[in-house]
Amino acid sequence: VLPIGPSYFISSITADNNNVVWATTNGEGILKYNGTAWSLYTSFNSGLADNQCGNLAFDANNNLWMSTNTGVTQSFDGTNWTTWPASVTGLTLPGVRIYTNPHDYSLWFCSMQNGAIKFDGNTWESFDEMNSGICATPYHVAFDKYNNKWFSTWNSGVSVYNENGVNYETIYNLPTNAARGTVYYDQNANGDFDSGDHGVAGRRLFL
């Protein structure tokens, strides 16, 4: 039996490297299932900063990471809670989604208020349209086998980024003379890519 009230629901669920299941609720804390019994971590019985959290992710050391409704980011190693304030992370508002890059286990934070932010275990790095071409309103990110980061965005199409550059000829085996163009949403339906539209900021894609 889940140790939460009937008016609450599970908002996200994932499993760690030890096959322990972790889940967030919409206001009653974080659930843990070890295969035998459920445990509930709350702001009253643990170091959890807020009972309403975003999605969960794990780093290379199997530490649990979460964003909270208070705007702070936290990590949990099974014993100790570490709180990362906005002054360090650059994440100033709630509604953050966290994703683990399977290539290097860096953590990527998507925020529609603060853009995309990466934590490699030592350094927090912020990405925006000026320094990377990543749209300012990333919602989700996926990592392909070439370590390209594909961001879905809020009202701004798709952004793709790679620290070493994106080589579309190699990735998709396209001829070097393949047509290039900007992927965009023709929001004002005038047939042109202009200031009234949204698209892939600073990136050229094959069509």
Side-chain angles (χ1 to χ4, degrees):
V1 178
L2 292 175
I4 60 174
S7 62
Y8 292 89
F9 60 84
I10 304 299
S11 52
S12 70
I13 190 166
T14 189
D16 64 21
N17 294 338
N18 298 318
N19 291 319
V20 175
V21 175
W22 298 82
T24 57
T25 68
N26 68 324
E28 219 171 286
I30 295 177
L31 290 163
K32 172 186 175 183
Y33 183 65
N34 62 9
T36 303
W38 289 92
S39 302
L40 179 64
Y41 295 90
T42 72
S43 58
F44 304 106
N45 66 12
S46 71
L48 183 63
D50 188 84
N51 288 332
Q52 187 163 338
C53 301
N55 72 314
L56 305 171
F58 297 94
D59 62 21
N61 298 314
N62 204 36
N63 295 319
L64 178 69
W65 284 77
M66 71 222 69
S67 63
T68 69
N69 202 45
T70 60
V72 303
T73 302
Q74 290 190 285
S75 59
F76 180 53
D77 64 6
T79 302
N80 301 306
W81 297 80
T82 301
T83 299
W84 304 83
S87 59
V88 173
T89 66
L91 298 162
T92 60
L93 295 170
V96 176
R97 288 152 300 282
I98 311 174
Y99 302 90
T100 305
N101 185 338
H103 296 280
D104 58 11
Y105 283 92
S106 60
L107 296 171
W108 287 76
F109 300 78
C110 292
S111 168
M112 290 192 292
Q113 292 83 21
N114 303 117
I117 293 178
K118 171 188 174 183
F119 180 60
D120 64 4
N122 296 297
T123 304
W124 294 86
E125 185 176 4
S126 180
F127 298 86
D128 56 30
E129 295 185 30
M130 295 298 295
N131 65 14
S132 66
I134 298 174
C135 175
T137 58
Y139 197 72
H140 296 288
V141 61
F143 309 90
D144 66 22
K145 67 179 180 179
Y146 300 100
N147 200 21
N148 296 312
K149 293 81 178 169
W150 294 84
F151 294 88
S152 66
T153 69
W154 185 257
N155 288 335
S156 298
V158 175
S159 294
V160 58
Y161 172 73
N162 190 313
E163 295 90 332
N164 299 314
V166 181
N167 187 327
Y168 296 100
E169 287 90 347
T170 300
I171 296 173
Y172 300 109
N173 195 28
L174 293 171
T176 56
N177 62 347
R180 289 172 172 80
T182 300
V183 175
Y184 71 95
Y185 169 47
D186 189 13
Q187 190 173 27
N188 53 18
N190 65 356
D192 294 318
F193 182 37
D194 52 37
S195 60
D197 301 320
H198 298 283
V200 180
R203 287 288 176 260
R204 306 295 288 180
L205 298 183
F206 289 95
L207 298 177

